[in-house]
Amino acid sequence: MRRQGPVGHVDADAFYVAAERVRYAHLAGMPVGVLGNQGACVIAKSYEMKATGVGTGMPIWDAMKLCPEGIYVKRDFRWYEVLSRLMLETMRELSPRVEYYSIDEFFFEAAKPPAGDYQDYAVLVRDRLMDRIRVPVTVGIARTRTLAKLISDTAKPFGALAILDKAAEESLLAARPVTDVTGIAGRREKRLLPWGIRTCLDLAKSDRRLIRGLLTASGEALWWELNGDPVIPINAERTPHKVISRGGSFGDPTDKPDVLWAWLVRNLERMVEELLYHRVLAGRVAVWVGYRDGHAGEGHATLEVPTDRFDVLLDTFRPCLRRAWVPRALASRMHLFAEDMRPHAPRQLGLFDGLDAEDAATAVKQAVNGRHGRIALRSAATLPLGPIYADRANGYDICDVRGKTCF
């Protein structure tokens, strides 16, 4: 692997709100909250709304008490992806290697401008994105990607900061709690506390072997990164999926079997889209159902032959849902998983093999939805979810934004 130069991190400031302000300019300076699918909770908020005490994940009724003058809009991931792709195009003009980490985050190889330094380059990246896309971002540049992200977090909002001096790095690390490092929270924080490791600098100054013992190899990688040794590369291309999952909250909890089945079919149709797009086959599947009382049910199955066929997967998921179903309990969310992924490869046809009815139906469905919209033609089993399909906000989700490396 070739030696990597300084690494940059771009993180959009309140991206969903910024995206709404791009198309609705009158929202500038106003307290804005972006709501989830069912409009029940705040998934993003402007800095003006944050100042009133509204937090991410807060129910809308609580947010409106804290910020009654706020403007609340439903999220639109299709529009957010449009801006995200424009940001990616711009970053690829400014850097030889760019990692599409998430819808509003990018890691990149910092290319030093001929007539300036890395601080100038950080400002250039920030200002270019603002001028071209009208989305405010913060840029951090450092010797490693872990340090670059810490720097951009420190410089928010609309900051641009390059730190490549070791003394300046240590000053930054000493001021940041260890939980600011991506990958350290909860149980990992508790493992570190008995050893007096509370700040990022404490972690960097600790014995490497101790950190490996406490946090495994991934924790050791963070130790190297905090000490300025780049061991986590920039991934300009997404690694192949190990698991594809589709699902989420229902909004209104339900104990009706036909509605649960409708949700399974809806999630499976979205999953099959991804299997076909990435040209992979599922060897194992699982369904997980969460209930309002805190309990959960699971069902698993292994396919005799890996597949991406909707009809085969539907028959496989049916007994899985039965095992996950708790009669008369209110279910609030569901997730489907496709595992043991295999590449889609040509197979030898049998003497009587050909295009069967299911293949023909799939081809027609893809053609219609490709021309008129991804849910223009769908299974009749989803009819109990009519209000969900009628709300355009439910037609596209964050996991439908392809190419990100974060999941």
Side-chain angles (χ1 to χ4, degrees), residues 6-10 106-110 139-142 144-145 148-149 234:
V7 178
H9 178 247
V10 170
F106 308 86
F107 287 97
F108 62 96
E109 184 176 326
V139 180
I141 294 178
T144 70
R145 60 186 287 154
K149 181 165 173 55
I234 295 173

Side-chain angles (χ1 to χ4, degrees), residues 336-351:
L336 307 187
F337 301 90
E339 304 168 337
D340 189 20
M341 313 298 287
R342 315 285 179 85
H344 193 291
R347 65 181 179 87
Q348 179 66 46
L349 294 176
L351 180 61

Side-chain angles (χ1 to χ4, degrees), residues 323-400:
R323 288 190 284 272
W325 176 49
V326 178
R328 294 179 295 281
L330 287 172
S332 57
R333 55 202 181 279
M334 176 190 293
H335 291 277
L336 307 187
F337 301 90
E339 304 168 337
D340 189 20
M341 313 298 287
R342 315 285 179 85
H344 193 291
R347 65 181 179 87
Q348 179 66 46
L349 294 176
L351 180 61
F352 300 104
D353 284 346
L355 187 67
D356 62 22
E358 177 62 28
D359 290 331
T362 298
V364 170
K365 183 178 177 181
Q366 287 179 320
V368 171
N369 289 346
R371 182 169 183 176
H372 298 287
R374 64 196 301 263
I375 56 174
L377 195 59
R378 67 182 200 270
S379 171
T382 62
L383 285 173
L385 304 180
I388 299 296
Y389 285 93
D391 186 344
R392 291 182 60 191
N394 296 305
Y396 206 72
D397 211 338
I398 182 64
C399 58
D400 297 315

Side-chain angles (χ1 to χ4, degrees), residues 218-381:
S218 63
E220 182 187 0
L222 295 175
W223 181 91
W224 284 109
E225 291 266 320
L226 290 176
N227 281 286
D229 290 308
V231 298
I232 306 177
I234 295 173
N235 298 307
E237 295 184 4
R238 196 196 190 288
T239 54
H241 285 280
K242 293 184 178 179
V243 176
I244 289 178
S245 173
R246 287 295 179 270
S249 171
F250 297 162
D252 293 325
T254 183
D255 61 356
K256 297 179 179 178
D258 62 328
V259 176
L260 274 177
W261 179 246
W263 276 108
L264 185 142
V265 174
R266 170 182 166 81
N267 292 328
L268 179 56
E269 287 186 328
R270 295 174 58 213
M271 175 181 285
V272 169
E273 283 183 347
E274 293 307 298
L275 294 174
L276 294 171
Y277 176 82
H278 294 288
R279 296 188 58 77
V280 291
L281 308 174
R284 289 194 307 270
V285 297
V287 59
W288 179 95
V289 179
Y291 295 88
R292 197 166 67 173
D293 63 3
H295 289 87
E298 296 182 36
H300 306 261
T302 299
L303 292 116
E304 292 185 6
V305 178
T307 186
D308 58 5
R309 284 181 55 136
F310 175 79
D311 59 330
V312 176
L313 290 169
L314 188 63
D315 287 342
T316 306
F317 269 114
R318 191 187 304 270
C320 294
L321 181 60
R322 289 198 190 101
R323 288 190 284 272
W325 176 49
V326 178
R328 294 179 295 281
L330 287 172
S332 57
R333 55 202 181 279
M334 176 190 293
H335 291 277
L336 307 187
F337 301 90
E339 304 168 337
D340 189 20
M341 313 298 287
R342 315 285 179 85
H344 193 291
R347 65 181 179 87
Q348 179 66 46
L349 294 176
L351 180 61
F352 300 104
D353 284 346
L355 187 67
D356 62 22
E358 177 62 28
D359 290 331
T362 298
V364 170
K365 183 178 177 181
Q366 287 179 320
V368 171
N369 289 346
R371 182 169 183 176
H372 298 287
R374 64 196 301 263
I375 56 174
L377 195 59
R378 67 182 200 270
S379 171

Side-chain angles (χ1 to χ4, degrees), residues 93-301:
E93 294 174 5
L94 295 169
S95 169
R97 289 177 60 79
V98 180
E99 177 179 332
Y100 186 32
Y101 183 72
S102 73
I103 196 170
D104 65 341
E105 284 185 88
F106 308 86
F107 287 97
F108 62 96
E109 184 176 326
K112 184 177 179 181
D117 58 18
Y118 286 111
Q119 178 60 41
D120 294 335
Y121 183 63
V123 172
L124 170 67
V125 171
R126 180 198 65 186
D127 293 349
R128 182 72 61 83
L129 288 168
M130 184 63 181
D131 292 342
R132 184 172 295 183
I133 319 296
R134 304 306 301 167
V135 171
V137 304
T138 298
V139 180
I141 294 178
R143 292 189 291 163
T144 70
R145 60 186 287 154
T146 301
L147 287 170
K149 181 165 173 55
L150 280 171
I151 290 169
S152 65
D153 289 345
T154 301
K156 277 186 168 293
F158 201 57
L161 182 61
I163 297 179
L164 299 164
D165 175 72
K166 188 169 181 60
E169 286 175 359
E170 292 189 353
S171 178
L172 169 72
L173 295 178
R176 309 295 296 187
V178 71
T179 50
D180 279 1
V181 177
T182 300
I184 297 183
R187 287 180 293 179
R188 282 188 156 190
E189 179 190 14
K190 291 178 181 177
R191 292 176 193 167
L192 296 172
L193 281 176
W195 299 90
I197 301 174
R198 292 178 171 80
T199 70
C200 295
L201 186 61
D202 292 336
L203 177 58
K205 293 295 185 181
S206 297
D207 184 86
R208 175 182 60 81
R209 292 166 296 182
L210 170 67
I211 299 304
R212 185 181 179 92
L214 294 173
L215 305 181
T216 70
S218 63
E220 182 187 0
L222 295 175
W223 181 91
W224 284 109
E225 291 266 320
L226 290 176
N227 281 286
D229 290 308
V231 298
I232 306 177
I234 295 173
N235 298 307
E237 295 184 4
R238 196 196 190 288
T239 54
H241 285 280
K242 293 184 178 179
V243 176
I244 289 178
S245 173
R246 287 295 179 270
S249 171
F250 297 162
D252 293 325
T254 183
D255 61 356
K256 297 179 179 178
D258 62 328
V259 176
L260 274 177
W261 179 246
W263 276 108
L264 185 142
V265 174
R266 170 182 166 81
N267 292 328
L268 179 56
E269 287 186 328
R270 295 174 58 213
M271 175 181 285
V272 169
E273 283 183 347
E274 293 307 298
L275 294 174
L276 294 171
Y277 176 82
H278 294 288
R279 296 188 58 77
V280 291
L281 308 174
R284 289 194 307 270
V285 297
V287 59
W288 179 95
V289 179
Y291 295 88
R292 197 166 67 173
D293 63 3
H295 289 87
E298 296 182 36
H300 306 261

